[in-house]
Each structure stands twice: as structure tokens, then as C-alpha cells.
Amino acid sequence: MAIFDPAELSEEKRAFIEQKQFSVPPSEDHHRFNKWQEECEVIFNTEHKLGEYVKACERFEMSNDKVTIALTDTKITRFDVCCLVNWTISAEELATDRQNVVNEYLEMIVEHVNKERKKAKATEMAVQAAEEGSATIQSRKKPATLADQLSCKMIPVKRFAEIRGVNGFGFFVGSLISDLDGELTRMLEEINCTPTNFRNLDYHFIPIHDKGTHMMLMGLAPKQKFAFVVDSCMGQNFCAPGETPENSWYRLGLQALLMALDPSVKYTKNNVPAPATDPDRSWYIYGQYVLRSKKTDKSPDAVQQRDNYNCGAFTTTNAFCLAFGYNLECYTEDKLDKWKKARVAFELMQQRFHGEYEYDMLKLSEEELKPVEEEEEEISASNFDSDLEMQHGFVEGLRGPVSNDSGYERNGSEGSDGEVSKKVESRRRRAFYTAAQALKYERPRVKPLPDNKPWPSQFSKKKFQRAAFLYPTPSVNFQLELTYSKRELKRACRNFPLTGWKPWSKQSQPVFLEWMLDEMAATLSILRGDRVPPANNLVGGFGIKNNTETTETAETAGKRKRSDREEGSS
């Protein structure tokens, strides 16, 4: 096991280090894991008769026993282990939000990284002292503070949940207990976390089991001065009425814990920059890791959960990646089933990271993690043309010459209701098609553009695939060489028909035009029955339900088009 400096690693070497945690287990363990899966198929298959079931399960390692401890010196039951295995049975996946598994695995991570990073720090200090020529008897002694300079600490699931209020019937409520400060003080004393040694931590992990059904990772990063809530399912409306992630009990508890450790800390809503006389007091709170373009607090990115059973696996994997210095985006969801959960099972069985289950680490940053700032680009007619070329498949060579009566403005203005004369607008060749006409006259699909443009620094060509356009060019008679007035775009929205266009019509003409074309393209994709669905938040404007006549007309046009093709081929 070694600890590498990320700055000195190539992309390939770093990827190799980060991907080992998802590699196939050693042959013997792999076969054993497959056997466990076969056993789970019997145990959790309700079609078996009782007698056959009992006889078949007599020699099984797996069991649905929720009481018997499976792993010595842990609280992990035999059923808990099944939850790391049973992912092959359709519609019968067992949720990985098992508190015993999450607690034990995070404690194992914390113990391991503390041991290895402390050892590496001691070696580094000894080498530095020798190089400086000051290796006296006193300097060769380990500093008294080294023992306190741990990398990570954690608070178990149930322990942190004790700050949550309970009503008269014994049920949890959204508020926190009245003696919050006293309980937090006792909680910190139990793990020997003081305001002094807290500042030397890389991470303070707090796994959360919300509502007894969903696991997530929360915590603090003192050296980088940020708090975090990594919820792999965020955005899927799991909040109770009136509750938001920002006012949830665990988010309020996290803020209270931070203030208990450092009352001088200051932070702003959505991490908006604010003037501060003392930069050391400024912290950030990141809670929207998986929301991507929808985030408002400028959080870093993390992998989003799409299934309904792997929240515990996401929690343990994210904690592992942070503690070991890996990128939170170094994996995809499918790698949890193949083979992260299998490795977690065997790592827990040996209760340490050892042998084939030992992993290299990366040095952790001690620099402040500032909000991710999106680069703002000035919108103009010229650079909007480039956007259209990339998104809708046009190339520079397709642009025709600019004539005096084309309606194209040479000065590159944004566009307004009066930019193009009504006489020019009235020409029939400029009119956009309706949805029915677009289906009838649809052009052949446009091929994606070649990937010959430079990649932004925050993306890797090895991990991402560039989309040359959102959807095939909508066959709505859009002509790139023309500049359309907003009046024409509004008329096109009414005739198509699109709804919800009025707020967009108040934007600049290029933005309004881009929104309209994307909506039209996504709508036609649905009407064609394309197998790949449009992206979220598109096709919110087409009156499929509200305008039966239009829908029927569009469907009729689609049938007529298919009929024409059949006749042409006969």
C-alpha cells in the first residue's frame, strides 16, 4: 500500500488506483460470491414449497435470519450480508441501507486511513528532519501532537439520530431535541473530538438513515472548510410535506454540530460569496452533489442513484472515495453491483483492508474547497450561431450568402419584435411548420459532428462522451441564414403548438429561439416514438394532453408518412 500525490500521477495511473475497488474479487472469493447469489435466489424466491425450502437452506451460508450475528466482533447479521449479495433477483433486490453494514464499514475505513496516513506522516517528518540536518535526539522523537492528528472520525448512525425530536407516541418528528447543545457535547466527547483536534481532521463522517428507508453520507471537512450532505437520491421527492433538504433535521443537526465545534464559523445561503473580515471563519455547506445543472449551491458533482436499493452502497462507496482521496465521480452506478458490494462483503469478513483487498491512497488536499463557479458567456447572435451549429448539426458550409432582403442583421443584435419588417415576415418560405407538418416533411437524420473540439478542463474524454446535438435537427423549416424576429417565434410557438413559451419570449432572441427549437425537437422525438426519451425538463410545452385535435393531427401525419414510405418501397 502506498500514498501517492495526485499531481504526480497520469490520468491512467490515477484511474487504475481508483478502479481497483470495483474489480472482480479473487477467483476463490468470486466463486463463493456466485454461490451466495444462488443461495439467495432460493431463500428469497417465494415459489418454493416450505419443505423444499427448509431442506435446501440447511447447508447455506446465506440466511434471512435478522438476529444471528454473521461476522464475529460486529453487529452484522446473516440477513445484513444477504443485502450485499442479492442483486440478481428481478424485482426482489434487498436494500443496502443496513445500519450495521454501513457503521462497521465506515469504522473500518476510519481506522485504516488513520493508521496508514499517520504512518506516512511520521515517515515524511523523519525524512524531512534528516534532509534538513537537524535530526537531533529531540527532533527524532515523534511530536506529542502527532497522535492527535487523525485523518478521519465518525459518528454512528443511531448515535447522531438521538438529536432528533420524538413526539408523545415515540415517533420521530422534524425538529431537534431541546437539549441539543448538551447532547452534541456528549457525542463529541465519546469520540474525543475537541475544537482543537477537530481542525486537524480531513473528514468527520456522519452516516444518516432518514425515515428508516434511505441512507446518505453527511459530514465535515475541517481542513478544506466545508460541510457536506451527499444524498445519492436527492431530487426524487422523498421529503415530507413542508420539508426540504435545507430544513431537514439532519441538515440542521449538521449546522448545529459545526457551531458546537467552532462558534465563529460563518456561511451564506447557497454559498453566495460574502465579504468577510476573517477568511478563516468562512465555510461552505454543499448539499446538492447529484443535481448537476439544477444545483443552486455550487456543490461539486457526485454520482446519482437511479435504482431503489443501493443507497447504502452509495454511502459506503462515497465515504471510501473521500477518505482514500479518490474522485467522487470515479465510478458509475453499475459498478456497485459489479463488484463493489462483493468486495465490501469480503473486506468486512476479514475486518480490514489486506492482501487482494488493500488499496493505494492519494494525498488529500488541505486547500479550501470553494464553490464551483460556472463560466459566464456573453450571448450574441454570432456565438449563438455556433451553439446552433453544435446542437442541431449544422456546419459552417451550409450557411448561405447574406442578401439585402434576407432578414439577416449584420450588426449581430439580439433581436426584437421590430427587427424584421412585417413584409419580410409575411413570406411563406419563412414560416415554421406545425408539429403535423414537421412529421410529414421530416428530413433524414443528421449525423453527429466529429469530436474535434477541445474538452473543458473539468471533463475527461475517457469518462464522458460529448453529445454533438441534443436531438436531430427539428424539421420545422428553421433556416440558419435567417434572423427571426420575436414576433415570428411567438407565432411559431402558437401554431406548433407549444405552451409555456411566454416567459422565454422575454429573454433575448437567441435564447428564445434555442428554447423553441429544443422543445420542438424533443416533442417530435416523442411523437416519432424514439426509444431514447428526451432529457428532463424538455417537452413541458407541447399540448399533447390539452390539445387533442393537434395530437390526432400529428399522429395522422405520422401514419400518412409511414404509408407513403411503404407505397414508395412497393
Side-chain angles (χ1 to χ4, degrees):
M1 200 286 300
I3 300 179
F4 296 95
D5 185 346
E8 298 176 356
L9 297 177
S10 63
E11 281 190 29
E12 292 76 12
K13 177 62 175 176
R14 175 164 186 162
F16 177 80
I17 293 173
E18 292 177 332
Q19 292 306 305
K20 183 181 177 182
Q21 61 175 312
F22 308 107
S23 60
V24 181
S27 178
E28 184 177 343
D29 290 342
H30 187 198
H31 290 309
R32 188 179 182 186
F33 190 76
N34 289 337
K35 182 174 178 293
W36 290 349
Q37 292 176 334
E38 295 173 0
E39 293 176 0
C40 284
E41 289 182 5
V42 175
I43 295 171
F44 299 99
N45 190 335
T46 56
E47 295 179 1
H48 291 287
K49 295 180 180 179
L50 180 60
E52 296 176 350
Y53 169 81
V54 173
K55 184 176 180 180
C57 298
E58 285 179 351
R59 299 182 180 180
F60 282 180
E61 289 187 79
M62 296 293 102
S63 171
N64 60 359
D65 184 349
K66 298 182 180 181
V67 178
T68 304
I69 300 298
L71 305 180
T72 308
D73 297 329
T74 73
K75 295 182 180 180
I76 297 176
T77 67
R78 298 183 71 182
F79 179 76
D80 289 334
V81 178
C82 287
C83 295
L84 291 172
V85 176
N86 183 34
W87 54 268
T88 60
I89 306 172
S90 177
E92 290 290 341
E93 298 92 347
L94 296 180
T96 57
D97 64 328
R98 308 300 298 174
Q99 293 188 30
N100 296 331
V101 172
V102 173
N103 277 335
E104 296 288 349
Y105 196 68
L106 261 65
E107 287 176 1
M108 194 167 71
I109 290 173
V110 169
E111 181 181 352
H112 180 75
V113 297
N114 285 342
K115 173 185 173 183
E116 297 299 331
R117 292 194 185 279
K118 180 179 177 181
K119 187 192 304 180
K121 183 65 175 179
T123 302
E124 181 182 342
M125 293 175 64
V127 171
Q128 183 179 2
E131 290 178 349
E132 293 176 353
S134 58
T136 61
I137 295 177
Q138 181 64 28
S139 63
R140 282 197 294 268
K141 292 182 179 179
K142 294 182 180 180
T145 58
L146 189 59
D148 296 329
Q149 293 183 3
L150 301 179
S151 175
C152 300
K153 288 180 180 288
M154 72 162 288
I155 298 175
V157 177
K158 284 188 176 181
R159 185 65 182 96
F160 192 77
E162 292 177 12
I163 67 171
R164 191 174 183 182
V166 179
N167 62 20
F169 298 98
F171 296 105
F172 284 123
V173 295
S175 59
L176 303 179
I177 60 176
S178 57
D179 185 25
L180 178 61
D181 293 339
E183 191 62 34
L184 288 175
T185 299
R186 289 187 290 273
M187 195 180 299
L188 293 171
E189 288 176 350
E190 292 169 7
I191 60 173
N192 188 28
C193 186
T194 67
T196 302
N197 63 29
F198 160 73
R199 295 177 179 275
N200 295 322
L201 291 176
D202 292 306
Y203 293 107
H204 189 158
F205 296 124
I206 309 169
I208 299 296
H209 198 205
D210 188 34
K211 302 178 180 66
T213 58
H214 179 55
M215 193 73 70
M216 68 186 79
L217 182 66
M218 190 172 75
L220 304 169
K223 288 182 180 178
Q224 300 180 70
K225 295 193 298 183
F226 71 93
F228 59 91
V229 181
V230 188
D231 181 357
S232 58
C233 274
M234 189 177 189
Q236 300 188 25
N237 299 322
F238 290 144
C239 294
E243 181 187 52
T244 66
E246 287 71 28
N247 69 12
S248 60
W249 72 270
Y250 51 85
R251 176 72 174 258
L252 297 176
L254 178 64
Q255 294 172 196
L257 180 68
L258 176 57
M259 297 304 294
L261 287 163
D262 189 351
S264 67
V265 165
K266 301 292 183 182
Y267 51 86
T268 61
K269 183 178 180 181
N270 289 333
N271 297 318
V272 175
T277 55
D278 186 359
D280 291 336
R281 297 168 58 190
S282 299
W283 274 56
Y284 302 104
I285 299 181
Y286 299 120
Q288 301 175 2
Y289 280 77
V290 303
L291 293 190
R292 304 287 173 167
S293 61
K294 300 176 185 177
K295 67 182 64 171
T296 59
D297 68 355
K298 304 177 183 178
S299 296
D301 290 331
V303 183
Q304 185 170 29
Q305 178 181 347
R306 302 294 181 183
D307 60 44
N308 61 356
Y309 62 94
N310 261 332
C311 59
F314 271 97
T315 300
T316 53
T317 303
N318 287 334
F320 182 97
C321 289
L322 289 174
F324 278 66
Y326 300 169
N327 192 323
L328 281 179
E329 293 186 285
C330 71
Y331 68 99
T332 52
E333 186 176 35
D334 60 297
K335 292 188 177 182
L336 299 181
D337 289 339
K338 293 185 178 179
W339 293 92
K340 179 64 177 181
K341 286 154 64 175
R343 284 185 162 266
V344 169
F346 290 111
E347 288 157 7
L348 286 170
M349 289 180 67
Q350 64 181 20
Q351 298 184 28
R352 58 176 177 163
F353 299 101
H354 178 69
E356 292 291 338
Y357 298 97
E358 188 173 31
Y359 309 94
D360 292 328
M361 298 183 192
L362 302 181
K363 288 185 177 180
L364 295 171
S365 173
E366 297 186 9
E367 296 181 1
E368 181 178 338
L369 182 62
K370 295 186 177 181
V372 177
E373 296 289 348
E374 300 291 341
E375 293 186 5
E376 295 185 1
E377 182 179 2
E378 183 179 353
I379 298 178
S380 66
S382 58
N383 61 30
F384 183 72
D385 287 341
S386 299
D387 290 342
L388 288 175
E389 290 165 9
M390 181 178 70
Q391 293 181 15
H392 298 288
F394 292 104
V395 294
E396 193 71 30
L398 294 178
R399 181 176 297 171
V402 179
S403 60
N404 292 332
D405 62 348
S406 66
Y408 186 91
E409 287 293 320
R410 296 174 181 270
N411 59 12
S413 61
E414 290 185 340
S416 65
D417 282 340
E419 182 181 309
V420 181
S421 68
K422 291 186 178 181
K423 181 179 179 180
V424 173
E425 289 179 8
S426 65
R427 294 172 182 169
R428 294 184 60 184
R429 68 180 182 87
R430 295 175 59 94
F432 286 91
Y433 292 156
T434 64
Q437 291 173 326
L439 288 173
K440 181 179 180 180
Y441 302 121
E442 186 176 29
R443 298 192 299 270
R445 302 294 178 87
V446 179
K447 294 182 178 180
L449 295 176
D451 186 11
N452 55 7
K453 294 186 178 182
W455 280 73
S457 58
Q458 66 268 34
F459 296 109
S460 168
K461 191 172 182 179
K462 297 182 181 297
K463 297 181 181 178
F464 296 89
Q465 180 179 355
R466 191 202 304 273
F469 52 84
L470 290 178
Y471 296 96
T473 308
S475 302
V476 292
N477 197 33
F478 169 65
Q479 302 171 57
L480 183 63
E481 69 272 14
L482 303 183
T483 290
Y484 297 92
S485 70
K486 284 189 177 180
R487 184 166 45 240
E488 290 178 283
L489 302 185
K490 293 175 183 177
R491 186 184 306 119
C493 289
R494 295 189 190 99
N495 294 339
F496 190 76
L498 297 176
T499 59
W501 54 265
K502 289 186 179 180
W504 289 93
S505 68
K506 298 177 182 179
Q507 301 292 327
S508 65
Q509 186 268 1
V511 172
F512 184 23
L513 175 61
E514 183 174 8
W515 174 85
M516 184 188 80
L517 291 175
D518 285 342
E519 283 288 330
M520 288 178 172
T523 299
L524 293 174
S525 176
I526 284 185
L527 295 176
R528 278 194 306 266
D530 289 349
R531 295 180 63 183
V532 179
N536 292 337
N537 297 329
L538 282 177
V539 202
F542 185 63
I544 292 179
K545 294 183 178 180
N546 299 328
N547 194 327
T548 306
E549 181 180 352
T550 302
T551 305
E552 292 176 350
T553 304
E555 292 176 351
T556 303
K559 292 178 180 178
R560 182 169 57 252
K561 181 181 177 182
R562 289 191 294 273
S563 177
D564 293 342
R565 289 178 178 172
E566 292 173 358
E567 291 178 1
S569 60
S570 61

